[in-house]
């Protein structure tokens, strides 16, 4: 299994958008979080992520096949970084790809002292992954609706 991260370009926008919708659609159907779920965004949001000056939007390649993406954001003059979003096609989930992707991203930014991310509290597999990677719940939560809550994590280097 060869996992690579490559910077996304505008020519990748449509394909990344389609993968994002496929990756997040099961969560949208399950939790009905129409205002926040990335499956409900339009392609302009993907283009914005690609063009963002304080971030990197990376394609996740599995054996040279595009299967997802991860975005890293930072604030100017700080060593605080965040991951939002990360998505992988459903057929490739549960294979250790997300874990390897996070590790690769953290290695790309060795000067980061704090990593932050948010995920759905009710998605135990996601929470387990992040905790296994050294992320700790901050105690900050945000209800999205009666079905789901976002939970914040961070990791201090």
């Amino acid at each position: 299994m060869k996992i690579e991260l490559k910077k996304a370009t505008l020519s990748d926008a449509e394909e990344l958008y389609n993968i994002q919708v496929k990756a997040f659609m099961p969560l949208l159907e399950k939790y009905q979080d129409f205002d926040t779920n990335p499956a409900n965004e339009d392609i302009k949001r993907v283009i914005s992520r690609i063009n963002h000056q304080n971030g990197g939007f990376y394609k996740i390649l599995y054996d040279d096949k595009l299967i997802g993406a991860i975005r890293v954001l930072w604030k100017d003059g700080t060593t605080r970084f965040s991951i939002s979003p990360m998505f992988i096609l459903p057929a490739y989930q549960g294979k250790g790809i997300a874990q390897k992707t996070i590790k690769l991203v953290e290695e790309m930014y060795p000067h980061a002292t704090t990593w932050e991310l948010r995920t759905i509290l009710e998605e135990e597999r996601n929470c387990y992954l992040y905790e296994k990677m050294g992320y700790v719940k901050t105690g900050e939560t945000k209800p999205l609706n009666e079905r789901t809550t976002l939970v914040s994590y961070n990791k201090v280097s």
Side-chain angles (χ1 to χ4, degrees):
M1 164 174 74
K2 182 177 96 177
I3 307 294
E4 288 182 281
L5 300 181
K6 290 192 178 172
K7 190 102 159 139
T9 64
L10 285 177
S11 64
D12 300 313
E14 187 174 350
E15 190 172 6
L16 287 172
Y17 172 73
N18 291 333
I19 291 170
Q20 175 178 297
V21 171
K22 287 176 188 167
F24 282 103
M25 189 56 72
L27 296 175
L28 179 62
E29 291 169 351
K30 183 175 182 179
Y31 297 112
Q32 310 277 304
D33 55 325
F34 298 106
D35 294 333
T36 57
N37 187 297
N40 227 20
E41 295 174 350
D42 64 25
I43 195 167
K44 290 182 213 161
R45 191 84 163 109
V46 171
I47 292 168
S48 170
R49 287 183 181 119
I50 291 169
N51 289 330
H52 199 285
Q53 62 190 23
N54 286 352
F57 197 41
Y58 300 94
K59 302 180 287 186
I60 301 170
L61 302 170
Y62 176 82
D63 292 336
D64 297 317
K65 178 176 173 40
L66 178 57
I67 60 151
I70 185 169
R71 181 174 72 153
V72 177
L73 286 171
W74 56 85
K75 293 183 182 164
D76 278 335
T78 74
T79 55
R80 295 178 72 92
F81 285 66
S82 63
I83 296 171
S84 175
M86 175 174 64
F87 53 89
I88 296 170
L89 284 169
Y92 293 89
Q93 294 174 8
K95 299 179 183 295
I97 297 168
Q99 187 173 339
K100 177 72 171 163
T101 298
I102 292 169
K103 188 172 178 179
L104 287 171
V105 159
E106 290 174 353
E107 289 170 358
M108 290 170 68
Y109 297 96
H111 57 287
T113 59
T114 305
W115 287 93
E116 303 168 343
L117 59 84
R118 297 189 311 177
T119 193
I120 294 175
L121 179 62
E122 294 79 5
E123 286 298 304
E124 293 175 6
R125 284 179 54 218
N126 289 357
C127 294
Y128 176 76
L129 164 70
Y130 298 130
E131 290 167 16
K132 181 172 152 182
M133 299 291 299
Y135 287 76
V136 177
K137 288 179 183 166
T138 65
E140 181 183 333
T141 59
K142 178 183 177 188
L144 298 179
N145 60 30
E146 63 283 348
R147 294 178 185 92
T148 189
T149 301
L150 274 183
V151 60
S152 296
Y153 280 87
N154 72 16
K155 178 179 180 177
V156 177
S157 302

